[in-house]
Amino acid sequence: MFTLRMALSVGSRSYHKALTVQTINPNLVKAEYAVRGLIPLEAGKIQKEIRENPAHGFPFKEIIYANIGNPQALEQKPLTFVRQVISLLDNDDLLAEGARADVLKLYPSDAVQRALEIKAAGVKTGAYTDSQGIEYVRKKVAEFISARDGVKAYPNDIFLSSGASESVQGILFSLIAHPHVGIMIPIPQYPLYTASITLYNGVAVPYFLNEQKSWDLTAEELQKSLEEARARRTDVRALVVINPGNPTGQCLTADSMKEIIRFCHRNGLLLMADEVYQANVYQAAKPFVSFRKVLASMPGPERDELELVSFHTVSKGLIGECGRRGGYMELTNIDAGAREQLLKRSSISLCPNVQGQVVVGLMVDPPKEGSPSYPRYKQETTDIYESLKRRAERLAQAFNSLSGISCNPCEGAMYAFPQIRLSAAAQTTARAQGLEPDTYYCLRLLRETGVCVVPGSGFCQVDGTYHFRTTFLPPEAAFDGYIEKFSAFHKKFQAEFP
């Protein structure tokens, strides 16, 4: 008689694992995300060794994680008003009438009032929300955009998300309907785009920024890239623009943005405007202007027809709440049927992170002048901004003072992307170890100084050039030490590989 035990025994002998690196989706294997790639993984191993082994042998006591724009991990202080409102919502017994008098001894009245307002809108931080996001917050976002751009925005055009990355991936997923769909991306680029395009089995269509002209973008380069892709029968459907730039830190002028809009309209491309660093602009010559505002100023056909999706987040700017995972996208001139499908995709994940949604609302509607929290909020944001500006200038100057390194000004965002000139001997040594030359340089930098940066090859770059991306987020009090470590390493490396 064939028993259950016999069946299990037979099954166990013939069992083959269903999920292995050989059977897993090959697009996942092909995808690369350098910001969390080889160098950061090695940094994590070193950090663990330092913590667990007092005799670790490394010539430093901690890793300086300059590989990713993660402000609070590098000691940027959270904004008090944001944390106060979140703490009240998470501990909503504090909002009960009976607790009010005691709570007002600890919290400013406008923080308490804001938390009560959010709670009255039906928000519970431990409960699901609407899939498109909390309507109260979407209204706040629409008011913010309307005030910023001078053009009315609508809550129904806003989709909240768990960070801007989720919105970006949602649009890319929706665009890439077959393996020949192409998405134009800037080179150097943020690896979210190449990784996601690979995951969704699309084609990354590179267009190159001009390093000799401060990473400028030209319509001629865009046209050349598009024509070459379409000659290969790539179905190019969208153009990605990152402004301010990541990893390159450049800012676009309104005239350049008009050229980009005309190019997209002329060629039937959806424009994806990654504007997550809009509060991180450190010079006055090229202030941040949204693509939405520029589009609204253009002639009727372009203004009324061009498909535009704009992205923003709470992870960057002066708020730096990366771990809250809050962001949004705004849809402009998007087909109603496509909008319904985007909502369906959002509903499959139920809803974005609720705390992240709340922080989006606080980012776009901060304390107003005259309110109890305003003086502190203003001081905190001013201190953060001025410190970032000083560090941006200091880092570019330091790189440009070193032989074999050149760095464009850090006009915006949180990064420098210097070019390093590596000798033939350094390149040969790197490739003998199976590494790209800039990866070898960054790995040596990590192991000898504890400084973790990302090689330029992870962002793509012009063939024959080598770069790395570093944030300028290390604390200002320790910034000179960070620069000294790097400078000493670079001089030593150059001496080793003249």
Side-chain angles (χ1 to χ4, degrees), residues 68-80 82-83 277 279-280 282 314-322 380-389 391 413-414 471-477:
I68 192 167
N70 193 12
Q72 292 182 24
L74 290 165
E75 299 183 29
Q76 179 173 305
K77 291 183 178 178
L79 299 180
T80 302
V82 170
R83 290 302 179 92
Y277 296 100
N280 300 103
Y282 309 115
V314 303
S315 298
K316 311 304 179 186
L318 308 178
I319 194 165
E321 290 281 1
C322 299
E380 288 175 343
T381 53
T382 299
D383 288 349
I384 291 169
Y385 174 82
E386 293 297 337
S387 177
L388 284 170
K389 183 179 179 182
R391 282 177 276 170
M414 295 177 171
T471 70
F472 39 82
L473 293 174
E476 191 165 16

Side-chain angles (χ1 to χ4, degrees), residues 93 123 242 285:
D93 286 347
V123 177
I242 308 173

Side-chain angles (χ1 to χ4, degrees), residues 245-264:
N246 176 10
T248 47
Q250 85 286 4
C251 297
L252 292 173
T253 64
D255 285 343
S256 293
M257 295 165 75
K258 287 177 182 178
E259 284 297 311
I260 292 165
I261 288 170
R262 292 187 191 105
F263 168 81
C264 288

Side-chain angles (χ1 to χ4, degrees), residues 188 209 211-212 215 247-248 405-408 416-422 437-442 453-470:
L209 305 178
E211 185 171 12
Q212 282 67 46
W215 301 112
T248 47
I405 297 187
S406 59
C407 185
N408 279 312
F417 196 66
Q419 182 175 157
I420 45 175
R421 288 175 284 282
L422 301 177
D438 51 6
T439 300
Y440 175 69
Y441 179 94
C442 293
V453 299
V454 188
S457 48
F459 297 89
C460 304
Q461 55 197 346
V462 172
D463 286 345
T465 68
Y466 303 104
H467 302 77
F468 62 87
R469 189 191 79 166
T470 175

Side-chain angles (χ1 to χ4, degrees), residues 128-163:
Y128 291 134
T129 70
D130 291 343
S131 296
Q132 191 170 342
I134 300 165
E135 184 179 20
Y136 166 90
V137 175
R138 289 188 287 115
K139 286 180 178 177
K140 293 287 186 185
V141 173
E143 291 167 2
F144 161 76
I145 293 170
S146 299
R148 182 194 67 189
D149 295 344
V151 182
K152 188 168 178 58
Y154 300 92
N156 198 43
D157 293 333
I158 309 299
F159 281 65
L160 302 181
S161 56
S162 295

